[in-house]
Amino acid sequence: MRFSAFFFDGACRAFHHRPTFSKLVVILAASGGGLVAYADSKSDHAIASSQVAPKKKVVVLGTGWAGTTFLKNLDSSLYDVQVVSPRNYFAFTPLLPSITCGTVEPCSIVEPIRKIIKKKGEIKFWEAECFKIDPTSKEVHCRADIGTNLDGNDEFLLNYDYLVIAIGAREVEDAQKIRRSVMDCFERASLPNLDEEERKRILHFVIVGGGPTGVEFAAELHDFVTEDLSKLYPMVRDLVKISVIQSGEHILTMFDKRVTEFAEEKFQRDGIEVKTGFKVVEVSDKNITMANKSTGKMSVPYGMAVWSTGIGTRPVIMDFMKQIGQANRRALATNEWLRIHECDGVYALGDCATISQRKIMEDISAIFKVADKDNSGTLTVKEIQGILDDICIRYPQVELYLKSKQISDIVDLIKDSKRDVEKESIELDIEEFKRALANVDSQVKNLPATAQVAAQQGNYLAKCFNKMKDCEEHPEGPLRITESGRHRFRPFRYKHFGQFAPLGGEQTAAQLPGDWISIGHSTQWLWYSVYASKQVSWRTRALVISDWTRRFIFGRDSSRI
């Protein structure tokens, strides 16, 4: 007992003199002569960790290419990340035209978003739709539409420090609606009480827009009709007509001329009507009215029309643009770092946004002042070269312009403007500097709304967020022309890896970097390989390949589901 009392006194002294001991329990087992002591303490490390600043809140709107790529590459341990989307999956949108005609099933190209972010740790996902963005209070208003809230209150608010707007425009549901509409047209045209003219109208499929999506859908629909539906609907197969209406002089204008010519010739052989130089001015229930400069207006009857001339703006984005003074735009304007100018901590990427590239002529006087180190009022070759790298990083149109003129660097461009002056002795005043760079901004171009662009933007922004703290202290971007210091990050730079244009009949056109053009059956197998490899998981990869195999063996599914 004396030993026990001695131990107890010592433990009490330890408790009073060691504040890290929050609990001390001493149990004496008198009968057995044993003693058990238990201490529950909070270490100094635990106390210090409780004083760490809370993580910044990042709210991501959308689970398309931009949003999902951002989440996959973001170091989620650095932030409190929340994702809001009315769709709880990621969809491989380049294969949506294949869904419209039963070549690929919808479930084969979607992957649950929770499965994708599962490996990223504490990322929260809310299946809801954002219907209002409040940049002043840094809140987003969301509404759940899954019908599981028993209290009836399906709206909630989320606060953010950083908001990433990545709301896409393409939906799997839209492709399914097109597929059902195609089958409805064939079933309606097969009814016994219709005359031939009405059947022709119902089976006239019009695609407005001759870009990659419109052309691919026209090709898919032609294959669907000739390979599958003609066998199931023999009475009406000769009445089917497919038309592509394009406002420009050619289809696939973003491709090389060789691809455009091949596509137009193939469509002509396949019996697909291509009407170029026509602009649609009116659409009614049964007629489409279009105008041409030479022939004027004309109306054609149709049974189904697919609009493929661009991407529409969602209501929440339109409302947000009105708030921030961008009401007259079709997409959110961001700077080269994907940040919205008028808002603090708000970024936009993917289909809902477009980069507003800064023009070099807007900053030409400031560039001259920064480069003129000795304040002499003129620039030497050495002074120009001292700022050359920063100019090329900040204004990518400079490199594009030099490439178009087959000039190696900006000094050679300036030398050309000075005629016979030797390169080393060049000196330019402000007016000569302006004249030398006057046409550079002609190379400023908007990026296309493609999955390739959205994925690269999501990857870029995630990398910026991952190193944001380090770049605050050690910025890695170009010189700030109109302010002091450097930008934290290098601006976003899109790298084009090529594009495909499936043309039907197991033939595809491809335009790859280095002006490499490939057209034909072999390119179709390249298309299969690339799209299979780009699937987000092995599950979707296996499903897509099995769908292609099923189509080869059994044909496309024509069920109206």
Side-chain angles (χ1 to χ4, degrees):
M1 291 296 294
R2 291 178 181 176
F3 174 77
S4 300
F6 173 76
F7 184 89
F8 184 79
D9 290 339
C12 289
R13 286 194 299 271
F15 176 78
H16 289 295
H17 292 290
R18 296 290 300 275
T20 58
F21 282 15
S22 61
K23 293 180 182 178
L24 179 65
V25 180
V26 180
I27 303 173
L28 300 177
S31 61
L35 179 147
V36 177
Y38 168 74
D40 181 13
S41 66
K42 291 184 179 179
S43 66
D44 294 337
H45 174 72
I47 294 174
S49 63
S50 65
Q51 298 173 353
V52 174
K55 295 178 181 179
K56 296 278 189 180
K57 295 180 180 179
V58 177
V59 174
V60 181
L61 304 181
T63 53
W65 279 96
T68 301
T69 307
F70 174 78
L71 292 170
K72 288 174 67 177
N73 291 279
L74 178 69
D75 184 353
S76 56
S77 65
L78 302 175
Y79 301 96
D80 177 9
V81 186
Q82 301 183 71
V83 187
V84 178
S85 175
R87 308 285 178 263
N88 70 343
Y89 56 81
F90 163 80
F92 191 85
T93 53
L95 285 178
L96 287 180
S98 297
I99 290 178
T100 61
C101 298
T103 305
V104 173
E105 292 301 317
C107 62
S108 300
I109 68 165
V110 299
E111 183 76 3
I113 193 65
R114 291 183 183 275
K115 186 178 289 186
I116 294 174
I117 64 177
K118 183 179 179 181
K119 301 176 182 178
K120 301 296 294 184
E122 297 298 323
I123 295 181
K124 305 178 187 71
F125 172 75
W126 316 118
E127 185 178 341
E129 183 175 10
C130 173
F131 64 90
K132 183 181 179 181
I133 300 170
D134 188 347
T136 304
S137 59
K138 288 196 168 186
E139 293 177 337
V140 291
H141 298 245
C142 305
R143 181 187 299 117
D145 57 358
I146 52 179
T148 58
N149 195 318
L150 300 178
D151 296 329
N153 182 15
D154 57 356
E155 295 185 4
F156 58 93
L157 287 174
L158 292 178
N159 299 316
Y160 67 84
D161 295 298
Y162 301 110
L163 177 64
V164 178
I165 305 174
I167 300 174
R170 300 175 179 89
E171 298 285 358
V172 174
E173 289 85 351
D174 296 331
Q176 290 176 297
K177 288 178 183 177
I178 293 174
R179 178 175 173 178
R180 285 193 290 268
S181 296
V182 170
M183 297 316 306
D184 283 344
C185 288
F186 275 87
E187 292 295 347
R188 265 205 319 271
S190 300
L191 294 176
N193 59 335
L194 301 177
D195 58 31
E196 187 168 313
E197 287 302 315
E198 181 64 9
R199 287 191 172 97
K200 284 183 178 179
R201 181 193 70 79
I202 293 173
L203 293 176
H204 185 197
F205 300 93
V206 177
I207 297 96
V208 183
T213 303
V215 168
E216 183 175 355
F217 172 65
E220 281 275 1
L221 181 59
H222 176 266
D223 287 352
F224 190 25
V225 171
T226 57
E227 296 174 8
D228 301 281
L229 297 183
S230 61
K231 302 173 185 176
L232 300 177
Y233 302 88
M235 297 294 292
V236 297
R237 64 184 179 186
D238 295 330
L239 304 179
V240 178
K241 183 180 179 181
I242 301 172
S243 298
V244 177
I245 301 175
Q246 167 70 347
S247 59
E249 294 303 316
H250 297 280
I251 60 174
L252 298 177
T253 53
M254 67 291 301
F255 281 80
D256 185 271
K257 185 173 68 174
R258 291 167 286 179
V259 173
T260 298
E261 291 175 352
F262 180 86
E264 291 176 347
E265 291 172 1
K266 186 180 186 306
F267 274 17
Q268 186 177 9
R269 292 193 304 269
D270 292 341
I272 300 174
E273 182 184 39
V274 177
K275 300 184 75 66
T276 57
F278 282 88
K279 183 178 180 180
V280 175
V281 294
E282 185 181 351
V283 180
S284 65
D285 291 341
K286 295 184 178 181
N287 290 280
I288 286 183
T289 304
M290 47 189 158
N292 180 274
K293 292 181 180 179
S294 58
T295 61
K297 288 186 178 181
M298 62 178 296
S299 294
V300 294
Y302 75 96
M304 174 183 166
V306 175
W307 197 273
S308 181
T309 61
I311 292 175
T313 307
R314 293 190 181 274
V316 63
I317 300 298
M318 293 178 66
D319 178 65
F320 181 54
M321 288 193 293
K322 290 177 183 177
Q323 292 184 60
I324 62 177
Q326 295 188 14
N328 297 323
R329 301 184 61 90
R330 295 184 62 181
L332 285 165
T334 72
N335 62 15
E336 298 87 337
W337 291 267
L338 309 183
R339 187 175 65 83
I340 298 176
H341 296 275
E342 299 83 358
C343 304
D344 176 35
V346 180
Y347 299 82
L349 52 161
D351 294 345
C352 68
T354 183
I355 296 175
S356 181
Q357 175 62 50
R358 183 80 175 176
K359 292 180 171 60
I360 196 170
M361 294 307 294
E362 295 174 346
D363 299 331
I364 194 71
S365 298
I367 294 171
F368 187 91
K369 185 176 180 181
V370 171
D372 187 15
K373 300 293 185 181
D374 57 3
N375 296 320
S376 63
T378 59
L379 294 184
T380 63
V381 170
K382 186 177 181 181
E383 288 176 323
I384 295 171
Q385 289 174 335
I387 198 176
L388 182 58
D389 289 341
D390 291 296
I391 291 176
C392 290
I393 294 172
R394 182 66 181 84
Y395 308 95
Q397 61 265 37
V398 173
E399 287 187 358
L400 294 175
Y401 184 76
L402 294 177
K403 184 179 179 180
S404 69
K405 295 296 182 180
Q406 297 182 339
I407 299 174
S408 58
D409 61 41
I410 196 172
V411 177
D412 290 328
L413 175 65
I414 293 170
K415 180 181 180 298
D416 287 347
S417 69
K418 294 287 287 185
R419 305 289 180 181
D420 298 329
V421 179
E422 290 295 327
K423 187 173 180 177
E424 290 74 14
S425 59
I426 290 176
E427 284 196 10
L428 296 174
D429 60 25
I430 181 65
E431 294 303 321
E432 291 173 325
F433 191 57
K434 288 180 180 180
R435 283 197 297 271
L437 302 179
N439 298 319
V440 167
D441 289 327
S442 64
Q443 293 296 315
V444 173
K445 293 180 175 63
N446 290 330
L447 295 176
T450 63
Q452 190 176 167
V453 172
Q456 290 188 33
Q457 288 178 338
N459 185 42
Y460 163 82
L461 191 61
K463 289 180 178 178
C464 291
F465 271 62
N466 291 345
K467 56 187 177 183
M468 189 173 290
K469 185 176 180 180
D470 292 338
C471 288
E472 290 283 358
E473 302 175 0
H474 307 287
E476 61 180 30
L479 283 171
R480 295 181 182 270
I481 300 299
T482 58
E483 302 174 20
S484 61
R486 288 186 170 272
H487 291 278
R488 287 181 299 176
F489 315 108
R490 295 171 72 95
F492 172 73
R493 183 73 63 90
Y494 170 64
K495 185 176 181 181
H496 188 59
F497 291 104
Q499 54 189 342
F500 290 98
L503 303 174
E506 292 300 306
Q507 295 190 69
T508 293
Q511 183 171 333
L512 303 177
D515 196 30
W516 188 65
I517 303 296
S518 177
I519 304 172
H521 296 285
S522 60
T523 312
Q524 177 70 34
W525 287 101
L526 176 63
W527 180 86
Y528 285 136
S529 301
V530 171
Y531 276 29
S533 66
K534 292 295 182 180
Q535 294 300 312
V536 73
S537 71
W538 280 102
R539 184 189 71 86
T540 56
R541 189 173 294 118
L543 288 173
V544 166
I545 293 174
S546 66
D547 284 347
W548 288 333
T549 305
R550 170 188 52 78
R551 196 268 297 176
F552 274 114
I553 300 173
F554 303 107
R556 297 169 181 84
D557 181 15
S558 60
S559 303
R560 188 194 181 282
I561 299 176

